[in-house]
Amino acid sequence: MHSQVQYLPITPAFFAILVLAFGVLIVLIQFGILRYAYMKLGVSSGTAMLLLFGSLIGSYFNIPITMLPGQVARSGEIIDFFGMQYVVPLVHQWPGTLLAVNVGGAVIPTIMSTYLMLRYQLWLRAAIAVLVIAVIIHAMATPVQGVGIAVPVFAPVVVTAILAFLLSREYAAPLAYIGGSMGTLVGADLMNLDKIGSLGAPVASIGGAGTFDGIFLTGILAVLLAGLAAPSRPGLAR
């Protein structure tokens, strides 16, 4: 059972696209195009790259929480949704839907978001960002048989970019990361937990299939927004 819980949430081809996006970001940094980015995000370039790389690798790993009652309807399939292809793991004699937490799409973003809120004291603006994005993403979230809850891949990115700059240009980068990742987790996954058992998914991973791609791209967006923001390093929020 343990080995069947660990799997890539998207097909290798689409995972390669995320790896390519990560590679482009590294090239931009090496050429100095985003030289202020990590200063604005609040971590060193090495730490930020490690976090993004950890998110990619961590997407393969799920931490089991509980088993939800229900009959598994789909197994070992590829599900198309809004141009993305999500993987339904191949399972045998599965008693229901296993609820799990994805390391790359939930654990790492939560730790990073908590750090950014503590560092910049963005409690109110971060709460607003998470709430607004959660409501919008929840309205877009779609239950997908065999997968769980899915969101159009670029929806968290577009919504986050607009809202982060509206709330604060100076703190757009940390707000983008916090609001985009936590808002997507809350709006798509946590607010739809009551629907999970009826979707026939062998594994329903919070931050995994259906939302990981959007959350990971939001992390890259946060760095890009940092490069567009004012070059001076932000102090504590007031």
Side-chain angles (χ1 to χ4, degrees):
M1 174 177 173
H2 177 74
S3 62
Q4 293 169 321
V5 173
Q6 317 309 337
Y7 65 98
L8 283 178
I10 54 181
T11 59
F14 284 97
F15 185 77
I17 293 175
L18 296 185
V19 173
L20 178 62
F22 177 69
V24 170
L25 187 65
I26 293 177
V27 171
L28 292 176
I29 292 165
Q30 293 302 316
F31 277 92
I33 296 175
L34 298 176
R35 59 187 178 279
Y36 296 115
Y38 296 101
M39 184 185 302
K40 304 296 284 185
L41 190 56
V43 296
S44 68
S45 60
T47 300
M49 287 295 94
L50 182 62
L51 286 169
L52 286 174
F53 181 73
S55 292
L56 277 175
I57 301 302
S59 68
Y60 180 82
F61 299 99
N62 294 294
I63 302 173
I65 299 177
T66 186
M67 184 67 72
L68 303 176
Q71 184 176 0
V72 175
R74 309 186 77 150
S75 172
E77 299 180 45
I78 303 297
I79 306 295
D80 290 299
F81 178 77
F82 254 88
M84 291 296 295
Q85 293 184 328
Y86 299 105
V87 176
V88 181
L90 178 64
V91 297
H92 304 281
Q93 298 180 341
W94 211 254
T97 296
L98 177 66
L99 183 64
V101 175
N102 188 267
V103 174
V107 176
I108 292 177
T110 299
I111 294 174
M112 180 62 178
S113 295
T114 302
Y115 166 77
L116 292 175
M117 282 191 290
L118 289 171
R119 179 180 177 88
Y120 294 120
Q121 297 296 297
L122 294 170
W123 303 108
L124 179 59
R125 278 177 279 192
I128 294 173
V130 172
L131 177 62
V132 171
I133 293 173
V135 170
I136 295 174
I137 295 300
H138 181 67
M140 297 180 178
T142 303
V144 178
Q145 285 290 324
V147 172
I149 307 299
V151 176
V153 59
F154 290 110
V157 181
V158 174
V159 173
T160 296
I162 296 173
L163 184 61
F165 269 115
L166 287 177
L167 288 174
S168 173
R169 179 179 174 84
E170 184 181 17
Y171 294 97
L175 285 172
Y177 192 95
I178 298 167
S181 57
M182 294 297 98
T184 301
L185 286 174
V186 173
D189 290 333
L190 298 184
M191 293 176 68
N192 285 295
L193 286 179
D194 58 325
K195 300 182 178 71
I196 294 297
S198 62
L199 295 179
V203 179
S205 180
I206 297 173
T211 56
F212 168 75
D213 41 17
I215 291 173
F216 179 76
L217 290 176
T218 296
I220 291 182
L221 169 70
V223 179
L224 295 177
L225 287 181
L228 294 174
S232 59
R233 184 167 186 163
L236 292 177
R238 293 178 175 82

